[in-house]
Amino acid sequence: MEDAIRTVKVKLDVPHERCDDLHQTKNQFLHCANTTAEWAWRHPHDYCVTSKQNAENALYNQLRNETELTANLVQKGIRRAIEATKSGVARLKKGEKTSQPQFDAWSVVYDKRSATFHRDHVSLSTVSGRVECDYVLPDNPNETPIGEYLLNEDFEFRMSTLQYDRSTESFYLHARMRRIESDEQSTTSSDAEHRTVLGVDLNVDGSLAVTSTGAFIGNADEMNHRRREFEKTRGSMQQTGTRSAHLSIQSMQDREHRWMQDELHRASNQILEEARDHGCTHIAFENLTDIRERIAGAKRFHAWAFRRLYQYTEYKAEMFGIEVEQISPAYTSQRCSSCGFTHESNRRSKHEFVCQKCEYELNADYNASKNIARKLLKRLHSGQTSSGGGAPRQCALTSGTLNLNGDYTASVKATAEGESTDKPTTSVVGH
């Protein structure tokens, strides 16, 4: 299997009354890029400024407040500037003369979250909502790259760039198209692709996240403790009421926010590593709306942290072709991931799960993460079992995979090293 990437230029028929929305979107997108470039070029020899993660930590909130762009477009603007800065830093290290990157060319980067691509039109996010733009096709499109790639169902849309030709006052989409070729492509549709799901359970205490592969990621207890310490210190300062105290509080809030973002970025990186190490095509999170309802009031901080963790994981996973989705967590903490028996008494304590039917015993959060993975797997499967043909759909577990039929397959590494398996009939807890 190999990837084939082609870029196709197609003219857009933009409604006249929406042209200004696209121009304003471009202006604000370039503002994000230039602000980031200015920030990064203050210390071009410091490797930290060429980190997309550090740039987003420092600038994301500011740029969201300064623009009307969606979160995805702000992130794309930041990343474009960091890539250009990396190139400039590389030239400086070679002793070449260069200057701070400047962005003034008309262009906006779109992906599948900020644009919805169709074979006959595209829906683009702007500062004033979405705009629907039809493609302007040539008389004989099948004889052009447009027909060969953009209109070809064997190709899928990837990250694309919107540009504007001032001489003709026309908008053009430079669509990147990818084709995945295989020997069995004629008999295997895109819906029959190999799918392996990594489940992620989120927690307000203990481990911040637990995966279906048995990885316990982050320390929610430590995050709660640090947050309480920050609040306690801020409370003492607020009682003084001086300007100096106010400035100190603001500085402390910034420091706390940076620390929290670093922790969440580390957690998202670990989740992504688990997914990549186990060949996962999808990552399943609990539905964040459900989480907000369950931990309302004093736990609003956790809802914010979970939302950011999801966002960080989602945009990083995109670079590796891994899809991140949300599913309802209903009954995932009560269902036995081994036999399927569901009852509230299965959950003995906050972190202990013992099935009252088959006596399967394991960490409760780990059990929930496997159920979360299986829920998304069933949704992707659309009611058809892998035994009926097509490529496998399976959950990624500690030492292997589990498909919808309940068939367990140990990984080569687990078999070679003689590790205890995570087969449903065992009672082995994850790592």
Side-chain angles (χ1 to χ4, degrees):
M1 179 180 293
E2 61 178 356
D3 288 355
I5 301 291
R6 299 290 185 270
T7 300
V8 180
K9 179 181 177 180
V10 60
K11 184 177 179 180
L12 300 182
D13 182 9
V14 181
H16 178 73
E17 67 275 10
R18 300 303 304 277
C19 289
D20 188 60
D21 291 337
L22 289 177
H23 287 301
Q24 291 301 319
T25 300
K26 179 270 300 184
N27 292 339
Q28 296 188 19
F29 182 83
L30 295 186
H31 170 74
C32 291
N34 284 315
T35 299
T36 303
E38 182 180 358
W39 171 84
W41 205 254
R42 294 172 187 169
H43 306 285
H45 294 287
D46 184 352
Y47 76 94
C48 292
V49 301
T50 60
S51 163
K52 295 176 184 177
Q53 174 180 322
N54 290 338
E56 288 197 11
N57 289 348
L59 299 172
Y60 175 81
N61 288 334
Q62 171 191 335
L63 293 174
R64 282 304 304 275
N65 291 330
E66 291 177 353
T67 68
E68 299 170 286
L69 299 176
T70 62
N72 182 262
L73 288 177
V74 169
Q75 291 168 345
K76 287 291 186 291
I78 292 174
R79 293 176 210 172
R80 166 173 280 195
I82 292 302
E83 286 299 327
T85 302
K86 284 183 179 180
S87 177
V89 169
R91 294 181 63 183
L92 288 175
K93 289 182 178 179
K94 294 179 182 180
E96 302 176 9
K97 292 185 177 180
T98 186
S99 58
Q100 173 186 322
Q102 295 288 337
F103 299 90
D104 51 22
W106 208 114
S107 66
V108 181
V109 178
Y110 284 93
D111 65 11
K112 292 183 179 180
R113 288 195 295 277
S114 52
T116 304
F117 302 100
H118 301 276
R119 297 298 169 181
D120 59 348
H121 74 283
V122 64
S123 174
L124 300 172
S125 174
T126 76
V127 295
S128 298
R130 291 264 178 166
V131 56
E132 305 281 334
C133 308
D134 291 334
Y135 300 141
V136 179
L137 303 179
D139 293 336
N140 298 304
N142 291 335
E143 299 177 4
T144 69
I146 290 178
E148 186 176 0
Y149 304 116
L150 187 138
L151 303 182
N152 190 340
E153 294 290 345
D154 292 334
F155 283 78
E156 65 174 350
F157 289 87
R158 306 297 292 176
M159 190 159 55
S160 303
T161 303
L162 178 68
Q163 295 186 354
Y164 180 73
D165 186 337
R166 292 182 175 85
S167 62
T168 61
E169 298 185 346
S170 301
F171 293 91
Y172 290 88
L173 182 70
H174 292 253
R176 298 193 71 206
M177 312 298 298
R178 183 182 73 171
R179 178 177 185 176
I180 302 178
E181 299 177 347
S182 68
D183 294 337
E184 301 178 356
Q185 186 173 358
S186 59
T187 58
T188 303
S189 69
S190 60
D191 291 334
E193 294 176 354
H194 171 93
R195 289 170 177 169
T196 300
V197 178
L198 179 77
V200 181
D201 180 62
L202 302 174
N203 305 285
V204 298
D205 51 23
S207 297
L208 176 66
V210 180
T211 71
S212 58
T213 53
F216 290 75
I217 295 171
N219 190 329
D221 291 331
E222 173 64 17
M223 295 172 74
N224 293 334
H225 172 71
R226 288 287 297 270
R227 184 169 176 78
R228 285 193 296 267
E229 290 298 311
F230 276 118
E231 290 177 345
K232 181 179 178 181
T233 304
R234 279 199 300 268
S236 299
M237 289 182 176
Q238 285 174 345
Q239 293 180 358
T240 65
T242 64
R243 174 173 174 76
S244 176
H246 175 74
L247 294 175
S248 296
I249 290 173
Q250 182 61 51
S251 176
M252 179 175 296
Q253 288 175 333
D254 293 341
R255 187 166 67 253
E256 177 188 9
H257 187 71
R258 288 194 299 270
W259 176 78
M260 280 298 308
Q261 286 190 317
D262 287 342
E263 291 295 312
L264 295 173
H265 272 297
R266 275 192 286 270
S268 66
N269 289 338
Q270 289 180 263
I271 291 172
L272 189 56
E273 287 175 9
E274 284 294 307
R276 296 185 66 197
D277 287 347
H278 291 81
C280 295
T281 58
H282 293 73
I283 300 175
F285 275 79
E286 302 174 60
N287 186 284
L288 301 182
T289 301
D290 294 339
I291 288 178
R292 285 196 296 269
E293 292 174 352
R294 295 205 317 272
I295 59 175
K299 303 296 185 180
R300 285 181 300 175
F301 154 72
H302 295 98
W304 170 86
F306 294 154
R307 185 171 63 254
R308 280 300 175 87
L309 179 59
Y310 175 85
Q311 291 171 346
Y312 293 162
T313 304
E314 184 182 34
Y315 83 72
K316 293 174 185 178
E318 178 194 5
M319 294 184 288
F320 301 99
I322 299 174
E323 296 186 29
V324 183
E325 299 190 33
Q326 299 180 40
I327 60 95
S328 170
Y331 303 109
T332 53
S333 63
Q334 300 177 13
R335 181 187 186 276
C336 176
S337 58
S338 173
C339 71
F341 178 69
T342 304
H343 197 278
E344 59 183 8
S345 60
N346 287 344
R347 187 80 177 254
R348 281 192 174 181
S349 64
K350 188 175 294 185
H351 299 297
E352 183 182 10
F353 184 96
V354 180
C355 180
Q356 302 303 298
K357 182 177 180 181
C358 71
E359 298 183 348
Y360 185 43
E361 182 176 355
L362 74 169
N363 178 275
D365 301 324
Y366 177 36
N367 177 73
S369 69
K370 293 197 289 182
N371 288 328
I372 289 170
R374 188 159 185 154
K375 269 199 169 187
L376 177 57
L377 190 67
K378 291 180 70 175
R379 190 170 78 189
L380 295 173
H381 200 62
S382 301
Q384 298 179 357
T385 61
S386 58
S387 61
R393 283 96 160 161
Q394 54 203 16
C395 302
L397 304 178
T398 309
S399 305
T401 56
L402 177 71
N403 66 25
L404 280 177
N405 297 326
D407 300 324
Y408 173 79
T409 303
S411 66
V412 175
K413 178 180 178 181
T415 305
E417 297 182 359
E419 294 180 0
S420 59
T421 67
D422 195 28
K423 191 173 181 179
T425 55
T426 70
S427 59
V428 179
V429 181
H431 295 179

